[in-house]
Amino acid sequence: MTVKKDIEIAQETPMEPIADVAAKVGIPADCLEPYGKYKAKLSFDYLKQLQDRPDGKLILVTAINPTKAGEGKSTTTVGLGDALNLRGQKTMMALREPSLGPVFGLKGGATGGGYAQVVPMEDINLHFTGDMHAITTTNNLVCAALDNSIYQGNPLHIDPENVTFKRCMDMNDRTLRNITIGQGAKVNGVERKDGFNITVASEIMAALCLADDLMDLKERFANMLVAYTYDGDPVYVRDLGIQGAMAMVMKDAILPNIVQTLEHNPVLIHGGPFANIAHGCNSVIATRACLKLADYTVTEAGFGADLGAEKFLDIKCRLAGLHPNAVVIVATIRALKQHGGVAFEDLKEENVDAMLAGCGNLAKHIDTIQQFGLPYVIAINQFATDTEKEIAALENWCKENGHPMSLSQVWAKGGEGALDLADQVMALCDQENHYAPLYDVNEPIEQKIETIASKVYGADGVDFTDEAKAQIETFNQMGWDKLPICMAKTQMSLTDNGKIMGRPQGFRITVRELRPSLGAGFIVALTGKVLTMPGLPKHPSALDMDIDENGKIVGLF
Amino acid sequence: MTVKKDIEIAQETPMEPIADVAAKVGIPADCLEPYGKYKAKLSFDYLKQLQDRPDGKLILVTAINPTKAGEGKSTTTVGLGDALNLRGQKTMMALREPSLGPVFGLKGGATGGGYAQVVPMEDINLHFTGDMHAITTTNNLVCAALDNSIYQGNPLHIDPENVTFKRCMDMNDRTLRNITIGQGAKVNGVERKDGFNITVASEIMAALCLADDLMDLKERFANMLVAYTYDGDPVYVRDLGIQGAMAMVMKDAILPNIVQTLEHNPVLIHGGPFANIAHGCNSVIATRACLKLADYTVTEAGFGADLGAEKFLDIKCRLAGLHPNAVVIVATIRALKQHGGVAFEDLKEENVDAMLAGCGNLAKHIDTIQQFGLPYVIAINQFATDTEKEIAALENWCKENGHPMSLSQVWAKGGEGALDLADQVMALCDQENHYAPLYDVNEPIEQKIETIASKVYGADGVDFTDEAKAQIETFNQMGWDKLPICMAKTQMSLTDNGKIMGRPQGFRITVRELRPSLGAGFIVALTGKVLTMPGLPKHPSALDMDIDENGKIVGLF
């Protein structure tokens, strides 16, 4: 049997007009700003109208530490949302916007897979409604204005060797990581070292995703740190005076995008910050809109529970005043085997013992969710290569340890494949819970980081480099210390070493560097090296992509 | 009396739904891809349906050598189109898309002015429907793929010191003109010199504007020269193998955008290549669609007749098989005074003698249009500072020299201000004409350039630098010589020195360098320095821009 490609399944499923999809949750057609027939933004005025409505239930989909192929969080989110709709519950999904750059590399789509997809997947994975481009432009306007200020007499006394805000591009382009700009004749500006991040790593993206509205976003822009003066004083966007122009550029990008699942249920896709250098969740604006419009909102957070869920619960929910009702922890038998010591190439082969050995990783993420005071269910995202023995052993492990679980077949069956999961999730949402963030933002920076490392990663402690210590001292003096922490750590492991699988114990975390994201509203703590500009592989996916004379795309996933 | 700003006039004029505007030229609502309520793209299928219809009449709006404030070509194009509609003629306008980057500098809007504007002007001048962003992405995909190929073992033997295709960004950012990329550790790619152009200077833009359709565009992409090997052999996009992915990225950007004038007449805005390094005209696809849909199409070409009109007539019309019917030459009394020796700061003061002395510049452009075999009318774009004496003297000059003219008041009155111009244009369109390009593409490169220099600029001859001579030799060997020439020259003067006003005589043109734009399908001949990445001024417009809590924009023009 040939397995159909995601794009083939998507292309053979007719879509409904987006106004019909939006009508399912009561959105009037004239409150949509259409982008073609199958995509729209919710209008500026309509978002304001929603504000006083009560909130529905909020379900977070997270995962164990993934293999490099991912665990299927988006797929599970979409399938669970479709299943809740099949159960007659008015349900929406809130997802992150895919980055265009990695599409040309080797990344899969970011719109789910199989029969649990969001469509039109080609558009969503390409330019969508232009939000990424608006973010790129806003980011690079800051840089152009900053370098222009240096060039035009440097009235702010910016030290060209101490500029912290980088340019960005939505492209996997390793040669832009470290560059020198302003070379040649004097009219070409002042020479200095610089670099590009990929757009999803821009602080503009993180700020968009945590903003309440356009005025709040403008304020966040104004607060962004861009450089230091020769005297070491901070220079903010407000000193450049371009926060108004930046907000203007973002006027459409701030509106959430509505699309549909293959089963024609409404999904908001809006914002997609990196889950390491930033917090990895879709926009607060989109999540809030879903909560106002639907009885159930299913959302996801990037990577495993150690990164995405921790930040969702410690940063996003705290800052936005959201109260989640249940958590779904996605695991695959493949990833559990990897945590039990099996190499990526051998994951297709049955190995019950390795799988059971790898369950420690799952157990740690369960422990984390419990510490946040939230009820959970494990969703086993079933693959064709999973054997009956493996599934039975995993079911048994869950039963013995008292963990609720459900076998999810959404890739193969869509919403029908997650009806049991949906039933369990609804039951969890009826429970009272005692969600609270893990730390108080008023605690010292070191203490906040140590709390995350010990409670979420299971580390014995945290080592701070001398550079990090000096930065913490500076942040304290500047008054930047009362912010939540955004940990930048490998997603592959609970430790800061991506090669250590399972549930490691007796290890320490090293914090190398701290960065103030004052517009986003958090402090980034970097452990290990975090790449904020990917590269293309030897055979980029772009080589296999094409479009024919009828506009049909091939080779995109 | 306070003069209203363009943005104020635009914001106080209610727009009609774009489907109603499109219906005026018979476009069915389901053949539109809406982008909000007031912008749309013509659908892929609808464009194909139009192909067999007969063509309407084609009117080109060009100008004398402008002041740095421009002569009002877009304003005249819009006003003339509105006037023809007032006369009961089914008329569309085909305009260029504005570049976003210069908006943050000091440039005025590119959507006309006063009561002759295209709306929604904020959107058109900002992201519009994302075409510029798609072009930026397509351009930078080439660069990422190229540098990745060098990094991944360099199978094409690309010489990193001989890469001809630059990155681009839609931003005025002088510090990106000359940069070094790929610095630091080996994993950051291979170090080499590079630079960014502004997006409108990208060959992707030029190719889009000359393409027949998506398959032709893909072919043009494949043919683009990107680098040379260590042996000096050309490397094309087709060697990188990414033309399919590039066409995919451009699938929406290739569709023309429909918007409306303040008088609710339909306008296609599509593509906007630089008028120096490229040919400065909107897309062939948009012009053809207008010709199929309307009885009259009014279009414009960048800068004066020495640049925009020459390229429109020698490049665009030749390659696309278009036959124009009439030419409007826009002049302002202000610019004529400048050509008569008045400084820019003093142009508000009456000076009949200087104006008459400056009429030589107008006379040369008339001569050029006559050499192309086309009937013309002069449109005097009236300013509040023009005096009665000046206007009378100019009318008299036209009468004495037998030049048809019309006083255009479209800025103040919209279409009503160009009814006489419209009547004269209709009469010209009823004349038979003998349009032909000025040279044969099969002539040697030097001869083609000499023809343009002598016939269009009035030069005595052309000097080629040694570098240019060597390049011509190479182009001949490569078989790249049978293409039209795209002159890159200052727009301020008929010569290659921007300070020489009026109608200079006894001068020569120097061609410094030639560049093969093999995807666009022309050879660029550079005279003097051509800046392909602007910078921001000391007080960028961005500082004055803002948006309020209701989404209303201020300070954008």
Side-chain angles (χ1 to χ4, degrees), chain B residues 156-283:
Chain B
L156 300 173
H157 309 290
I158 294 168
D159 178 359
E161 293 185 12
N162 214 342
V163 173
T164 57
F165 199 94
K166 288 183 171 187
R167 285 170 171 80
C168 79
M169 187 187 283
D170 194 6
M171 187 63 67
N172 283 19
D173 193 344
R174 66 172 65 74
T175 53
L176 294 180
R177 279 176 201 153
N178 287 301
I179 68 175
T180 300
I181 61 172
Q183 294 185 308
K186 213 170 178 179
V187 293
N188 297 332
V190 175
E191 183 167 325
R192 67 176 182 87
K193 296 273 178 196
D194 195 24
F196 279 70
N197 294 324
I198 192 162
T199 299
V200 289
S202 164
E203 192 183 347
I204 305 293
M205 171 64 93
L208 168 68
C209 288
L210 289 169
D212 292 324
D213 55 30
L214 193 57
M215 294 303 100
D216 181 40
L217 183 60
K218 195 199 294 185
E219 182 66 24
R220 288 172 185 274
F221 287 160
N223 291 338
M224 285 181 183
L225 177 74
V226 293
Y228 293 90
T229 65
Y230 288 108
D231 294 334
D233 294 326
V235 179
Y236 304 97
V237 163
R238 74 175 90 93
D239 300 317
L240 295 171
I242 52 163
Q243 63 274 14
M246 293 166 71
M248 180 189 73
V249 173
M250 292 291 290
K251 80 178 175 67
D252 300 311
I254 200 170
L255 305 174
N257 309 291
I258 184 165
V259 286
Q260 64 190 288
T261 66
L262 291 177
E263 300 182 14
H264 315 305
N265 294 310
V267 180
L268 294 192
I269 299 195
H270 194 220
F274 248 26
N276 41 27
I277 198 84
H279 64 291
C281 310
N282 67 265
S283 76

Side-chain angles (χ1 to χ4, degrees), chain A residues 51 75 77-78 85 112 115 133 171 324 334 336 343 352 381 407 417 427 482 486 490 515:
Chain A
Q51 282 173 9
T75 306
T77 303
V78 171
N85 274 293
Y115 289 88
H133 295 313
M171 187 64 67
R334 292 163 50 86
L336 291 172
V352 172
N381 181 23
L407 197 62
K482 310 289 188 230
C486 182
T490 173
R515 292 184 194 164

Side-chain angles (χ1 to χ4, degrees), chain A residues 224-243:
Chain A
M224 284 180 183
L225 177 74
V226 293
Y228 293 90
T229 66
Y230 287 109
D231 295 335
D233 294 327
V235 179
Y236 303 97
V237 163
R238 74 175 89 97
D239 301 316
L240 296 171
I242 53 163
Q243 63 272 15

Side-chain angles (χ1 to χ4, degrees), chain A residues 388-424:
Chain A
E388 277 179 37
K389 268 192 199 166
E390 287 172 333
I391 294 170
L394 182 53
E395 285 176 330
N396 191 48
W397 181 89
C398 290
K399 200 172 174 187
E400 280 185 352
N401 291 282
H403 300 310
M405 73 90 84
S406 184
L407 197 62
S408 167
Q409 301 177 312
V410 296
W411 196 94
K413 298 182 183 172
E416 287 285 346
L419 290 174
D420 173 66
L421 180 62
D423 292 339
Q424 293 200 47

Side-chain angles (χ1 to χ4, degrees), chain B residues 99-383:
Chain B
S99 179
L100 175 53
V103 165
F104 302 121
L106 44 67
K107 180 174 157 286
T111 45
Y115 289 88
Q117 290 189 59
V118 185
V119 283
M121 66 93 91
E122 300 97 322
D123 289 2
I124 298 169
N125 280 296
L126 294 175
H127 308 289
F128 200 17
T129 58
D131 295 345
M132 287 287 166
H133 295 314
I135 291 165
T136 303
T137 299
T138 305
N139 184 103
N140 293 337
L141 173 59
V142 174
C143 302
L146 186 150
D147 277 307
N148 187 55
S149 183
I150 295 175
Y151 173 75
Q152 306 276 6
N154 203 0
L156 300 173
H157 309 290
I158 294 168
D159 178 359
E161 293 185 12
N162 214 342
V163 173
T164 57
F165 199 94
K166 288 183 171 187
R167 285 170 171 80
C168 79
M169 187 187 283
D170 194 6
M171 187 63 67
N172 283 19
D173 193 344
R174 66 172 65 74
T175 53
L176 294 180
R177 279 176 201 153
N178 287 301
I179 68 175
T180 300
I181 61 172
Q183 294 185 308
K186 213 170 178 179
V187 293
N188 297 332
V190 175
E191 183 167 325
R192 67 176 182 87
K193 296 273 178 196
D194 195 24
F196 279 70
N197 294 324
I198 192 162
T199 299
V200 289
S202 164
E203 192 183 347
I204 305 293
M205 171 64 93
L208 168 68
C209 288
L210 289 169
D212 292 324
D213 55 30
L214 193 57
M215 294 303 100
D216 181 40
L217 183 60
K218 195 199 294 185
E219 182 66 24
R220 288 172 185 274
F221 287 160
N223 291 338
M224 285 181 183
L225 177 74
V226 293
Y228 293 90
T229 65
Y230 288 108
D231 294 334
D233 294 326
V235 179
Y236 304 97
V237 163
R238 74 175 90 93
D239 300 317
L240 295 171
I242 52 163
Q243 63 274 14
M246 293 166 71
M248 180 189 73
V249 173
M250 292 291 290
K251 80 178 175 67
D252 300 311
I254 200 170
L255 305 174
N257 309 291
I258 184 165
V259 286
Q260 64 190 288
T261 66
L262 291 177
E263 300 182 14
H264 315 305
N265 294 310
V267 180
L268 294 192
I269 299 195
H270 194 220
F274 248 26
N276 41 27
I277 198 84
H279 64 291
C281 310
N282 67 265
S283 76
V284 165
I285 291 174
T287 303
R288 279 200 188 127
C290 286
L291 290 170
K292 301 298 182 189
L293 287 162
D295 297 327
Y296 290 93
T297 296
V298 189
T299 191
E300 57 164 350
F303 300 139
D306 52 330
L307 285 170
E310 187 271 313
K311 294 172 186 180
F312 178 82
L313 297 166
D314 273 334
I315 300 176
K316 178 175 171 173
C317 289
R318 181 204 309 261
L319 295 179
L322 302 174
H323 191 110
N325 300 87
V327 177
V328 176
I329 305 171
V330 180
T332 60
I333 286 174
R334 292 162 49 85
L336 291 172
K337 284 190 278 193
Q338 183 166 299
H339 282 295
V342 178
F344 186 78
E345 305 73 54
D346 302 328
L347 291 179
K348 287 180 188 166
E349 287 163 37
E350 182 177 271
N351 192 334
V352 172
D353 291 344
M355 185 198 72
L356 289 174
C359 280
N361 186 271
L362 173 56
K364 177 68 200 83
H365 292 296
I366 292 169
D367 170 64
T368 296
I369 298 305
Q370 286 174 323
Q371 291 189 73
F372 277 104
L374 285 166
Y376 64 92
V377 53
I378 299 158
I380 304 300
N381 181 24
Q382 198 178 343
F383 273 65

Side-chain angles (χ1 to χ4, degrees), chain A residues 212-460:
Chain A
D212 293 324
D213 55 30
L214 193 56
M215 293 303 100
D216 181 40
L217 183 60
K218 196 199 292 184
E219 181 66 23
R220 287 173 186 274
F221 288 159
N223 291 337
M224 284 180 183
L225 177 74
V226 293
Y228 293 90
T229 66
Y230 287 109
D231 295 335
D233 294 327
V235 179
Y236 303 97
V237 163
R238 74 175 89 97
D239 301 316
L240 296 171
I242 53 163
Q243 63 272 15
M246 292 165 71
M248 179 189 75
V249 173
M250 291 291 290
K251 80 179 174 69
D252 299 312
I254 201 172
L255 305 174
N257 309 290
I258 183 165
V259 286
Q260 64 190 288
T261 66
L262 289 177
E263 300 181 14
H264 314 305
N265 294 310
V267 180
L268 294 191
I269 300 195
H270 193 223
F274 247 26
N276 42 28
I277 198 86
H279 64 292
C281 309
N282 66 266
S283 77
V284 165
I285 291 174
T287 303
R288 279 199 189 128
C290 287
L291 290 171
K292 302 297 182 189
L293 287 163
D295 296 327
Y296 289 93
T297 295
V298 189
T299 191
E300 58 164 350
F303 300 139
D306 52 331
L307 285 171
E310 187 272 313
K311 294 171 185 179
F312 179 82
L313 297 167
D314 273 333
I315 300 176
K316 177 174 172 175
C317 289
R318 181 204 308 262
L319 296 179
L322 302 174
H323 191 110
N325 299 88
V327 176
V328 175
I329 305 171
V330 180
T332 59
I333 286 173
R334 292 163 50 86
L336 291 172
K337 282 190 280 194
Q338 181 167 300
H339 282 296
V342 178
F344 186 78
E345 305 72 52
D346 301 329
L347 292 178
K348 287 180 190 166
E349 286 163 38
E350 182 176 273
N351 192 334
V352 172
D353 291 344
M355 185 198 72
L356 289 173
C359 280
N361 186 270
L362 173 56
K364 178 68 201 83
H365 292 296
I366 292 169
D367 170 64
T368 297
I369 299 304
Q370 287 175 321
Q371 291 189 72
F372 277 104
L374 285 166
Y376 65 92
V377 54
I378 300 158
I380 304 300
N381 181 23
Q382 197 176 345
F383 272 66
T385 51
D386 299 347
T387 69
E388 277 179 37
K389 268 192 199 166
E390 287 172 333
I391 294 170
L394 182 53
E395 285 176 330
N396 191 48
W397 181 89
C398 290
K399 200 172 174 187
E400 280 185 352
N401 291 282
H403 300 310
M405 73 90 84
S406 184
L407 197 62
S408 167
Q409 301 177 312
V410 296
W411 196 94
K413 298 182 183 172
E416 287 285 346
L419 290 174
D420 173 66
L421 180 62
D423 292 339
Q424 293 200 47
V425 164
M426 283 190 281
L428 295 180
C429 286
D430 288 337
Q431 295 177 20
E432 203 178 331
N433 73 55
H434 305 282
Y435 156 69
L438 290 185
Y439 56 84
D440 185 325
V441 288
N442 294 312
E443 293 167 8
I445 290 172
E446 295 92 330
Q447 192 178 327
K448 290 183 275 195
I449 295 173
E450 278 160 7
T451 298
I452 296 168
S454 66
K455 292 196 177 175
V456 179
Y457 310 156
D460 288 347

